[in-house]
C-alpha cells in the first residue's frame, strides 16, 4: 500500500517558522515530482510549491522568498521550510506525489497525504 505521511504542522505566531515533512512509503517504482498544496477554510485548494526528482522547483508568487521546498530522493521525502509566516498562510497543507508504483504503469498518478493543519496566529 502506498501512502504519504506528513508531519510538522502546528500553531505558530506571525513571523515564525515551521518545517513540514512528507514521506512516501510502500511499493513505489518511481516518483517524478512531489509538492505541497494548501486549502484555507472556504477556499479551494491551491498549489504552494512543487519539486521534481531533478530538483527543479516552482513556487506560487505569494510564498517566494519565504518558503523553500526540498526533497531527499533516497528517502522519498519532501520538505517545506516555511519562514516569515503570515496569518494568511493558515490552511490545511497537503503533500502530493506523482508516482508510478509499477514499472509498467503508463503514467504517473497523483497521491495525496492526509493533510496537516498550519495555523498562524498571534
Amino acid at each position: 500500500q502506498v501512502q504519504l505521511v506528513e508531519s510538522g504542522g502546528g500553531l505558530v505566531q506571525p513571523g515564525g517558522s515551521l518545517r513540514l515533512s512528507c514521506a512516501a512509503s510502500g511499493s513505489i517504482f518511481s516518483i517524478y515530482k512531489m509538492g505541497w498544496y494548501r486549502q484555507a477554510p472556504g477556499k479551494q485548494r491551491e498549489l504552494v510549491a512543487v519539486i521534481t526528482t531533478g530538483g527543479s522547483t516552482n513556487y506560487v508568487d505569494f510564498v517566494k522568498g519565504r518558503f523553500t521546498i526540498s526533497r531527499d530522493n533516497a528517502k522519498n521525502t519532501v520538505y517545506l521550510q516555511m519562514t516569515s509566516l503570515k496569518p494568511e498562510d493558515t490552511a490545511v497543507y497537503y503533500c502530493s506525489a506523482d508516482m508510478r508504483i509499477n514499472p509498467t504503469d503508463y503514467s504517473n498518478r497523483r497521491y495525496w497525504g492526509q493533510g496537516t493543519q498550519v495555523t498562524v496566529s498571534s
Side-chain angles (χ1 to χ4, degrees), residues 1-73:
Q1 181 179 0
V2 175
Q3 63 178 8
L4 301 174
V5 180
E6 298 156 300
S7 62
L11 174 65
V12 65
Q13 293 184 330
S17 300
L18 284 174
R19 184 173 183 259
L20 306 182
S21 300
C22 175
S25 63
S27 181
I28 302 171
F29 175 69
S30 65
I31 303 177
Y32 171 56
K33 64 181 180 181
M34 304 183 77
W36 293 94
Y37 292 73
R38 69 186 186 187
Q39 186 169 17
K43 298 182 179 179
Q44 62 183 354
R45 187 189 304 170
E46 65 177 353
L47 173 70
V48 176
V50 294
I51 185 169
T52 68
T53 302
S56 297
T57 59
N58 186 39
Y59 302 88
V60 294
D61 290 339
F62 186 79
V63 305
K64 287 182 178 178
R66 299 190 299 122
F67 292 7
T68 301
I69 189 170
S70 61
R71 66 187 287 176
D72 185 334
N73 291 332

Side-chain angles (χ1 to χ4, degrees), residues 89-116:
D89 293 320
T90 296
V92 177
Y93 283 70
Y94 296 92
C95 171
S96 72
D98 294 354
M99 302 186 289
R100 302 188 184 196
I101 63 175
N102 189 293
T104 63
D105 287 349
Y106 181 77
S107 63
N108 293 297
R109 293 181 61 188
R110 180 160 294 173
Y111 294 80
W112 297 93
Q114 76 285 354
T116 184

